[in-house]
């Protein structure tokens, strides 16, 4: 019996896909070690761009704003998105109502960011007539990012809830577990991987967002993407490449930890 062989075109396409995904970032990493300031030619290996970050107050400030925005919006979106996914999945809605909820969750995902940004700016302008809390700044940026991220968290968590099914709660109740005990000891441990995945996705979306931040930011709440956009007129500094490499490495490290944790959990379940 001969083994099934994949067509030669399949690995070639896969390799091209990986090149398209990671080549731009690899170029940024390479430029972060390039002694040449303009990066058009290789001027030798250097770490000066990394050490220079300690003296660049603007880069430090915008990076801190970006991380604060990403962490807060991710925490809020993860909690709200998880609760929303559970509410949609566990509540016995009618078919039409369920279809409406599913469609409503997917609409923000496919809506262009520019349209969402314009809508949020209009809402904030209306609220600003009542209170100054909605002046452009960190609060409006957090609200905008949470609005963007919630749908993605819901979709990730909801897909896991579908695979878990509805019978485990009833089974736990038959074994004299309370409703809270069934959720915290049976369902949430199985949802943990999906919740972490949704949080990582939300965190990544917040880190690389430009349009929502551009429309809702204030003079004291500039983030790194906005700083990079402003620096295009002067030419991107290699320090930005160094900072991008650090952020990329950190994000990759967190994702690897999440993947390894998921694989370890699957091995434990397989042994049982």
């Amino acid at each position: 019996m001969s083994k099934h062989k994949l067509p030669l075109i399949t690995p070639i396409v896969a390799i091209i896909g990986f090149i398209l995904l990671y080549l731009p970032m690899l170029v940024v990493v390479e430029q972060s070690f390039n002694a040449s300031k303009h990066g058009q030619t290789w001027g030798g290996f250097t770490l000066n761009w990394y050490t220079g970050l300690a003296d660049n107050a603007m880069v430090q400030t915008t990076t801190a704003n970006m991380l604060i925005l990403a962490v807060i919006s991710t925490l809020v979106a993860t909690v709200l998105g998880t609760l929303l996914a559970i509410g949609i999945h566990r509540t016995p809605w009618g078919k039409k109502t369920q279809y409406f909820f599913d469609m409503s969750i997917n609409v923000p995902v496919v809506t262009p960011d520019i349209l969402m940004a314009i809508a949020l700016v209009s809402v904030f302008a209306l609220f600003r007539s009542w209170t100054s809390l909605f002046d452009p700044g960190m609060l409006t940026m957090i609200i905008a990012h949470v609005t963007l991220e919630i749908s993605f968290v819901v979709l990730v968590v909801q897909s896991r809830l579908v695979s878990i099914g509805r019978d485990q709660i009833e089974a736990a109740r038959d074994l004299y577990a309370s409703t809270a005990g069934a959720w915290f000891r049976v369902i949430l441990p199985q949802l943990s991987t999906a919740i972490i995945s949704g949080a990582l996705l939300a965190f990544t979306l917040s880190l690389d967002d430009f349009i929502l931040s551009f429309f809702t930011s204030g003079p004291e709440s500039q983030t790194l993407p906005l700083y990079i956009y402003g620096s295009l007129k002067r030419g991107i500094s290699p320090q930005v490449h160094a900072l991008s490499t650090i952020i990329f490495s950190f994000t990759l490290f967190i994702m690897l930890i999440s993947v390894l944790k998921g694989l370890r959990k699957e091995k434990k379940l397989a042994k049982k």
Side-chain angles (χ1 to χ4, degrees), residues 76-258:
V76 175
T78 301
V79 173
L80 295 180
T82 300
L83 293 176
L84 181 56
I86 292 173
I88 293 176
H89 182 263
R90 292 296 300 178
T91 305
W93 308 104
K95 289 185 177 180
K96 292 183 178 180
T97 305
Q98 185 69 46
Y99 177 78
F100 170 78
F101 279 126
D102 292 339
M103 182 182 65
S104 300
I105 292 301
N106 282 279
V107 166
V109 176
V110 299
T111 301
D113 288 352
I114 185 68
L115 296 182
M116 185 178 294
I118 293 173
L120 287 169
V121 168
S122 301
V123 172
F124 293 148
L126 176 63
F127 288 164
R128 226 173 9 252
S129 61
W130 304 333
T131 174
S132 61
L133 287 175
F134 293 94
D135 288 341
M138 186 59 70
L139 178 61
T140 55
M141 294 174 72
I142 290 173
I143 295 174
H145 281 226
V146 170
T147 304
L148 170 68
E149 296 162 13
I150 282 181
S151 293
F152 292 91
V153 176
V154 171
L155 291 176
V156 175
V157 175
Q158 200 172 35
S159 63
R160 179 59 178 151
L161 282 169
V162 171
S163 65
I164 293 174
R166 300 173 180 268
D167 299 333
Q168 294 192 28
I169 290 289
E170 286 74 12
R173 293 298 301 273
D174 289 341
L175 296 173
Y176 304 102
S178 63
T179 301
W183 273 102
F184 281 100
R185 300 182 63 181
V186 178
I187 303 300
L188 287 182
Q190 299 180 73
L191 276 180
S192 60
T193 303
I195 294 174
I196 294 173
S197 299
L200 287 174
L201 179 58
F203 185 76
T204 304
L205 288 171
S206 180
L207 282 182
D208 64 9
D209 176 77
F210 170 78
I211 296 178
L212 292 180
S213 299
F214 181 79
F215 276 83
T216 58
S217 65
E220 302 298 327
S221 58
Q222 296 292 300
T223 60
L224 185 60
L226 299 180
Y227 169 76
I228 294 174
Y229 174 76
S231 68
L232 286 175
K233 297 178 181 179
R234 304 184 302 271
I236 298 180
S237 169
Q239 288 185 355
V240 174
H241 293 314
L243 185 58
S244 301
T245 301
I246 293 173
I247 295 173
F248 173 73
S249 301
F250 175 75
T251 305
L252 187 61
F253 177 72
I254 296 297
M255 292 181 65
L256 287 175
I257 291 178
S258 177

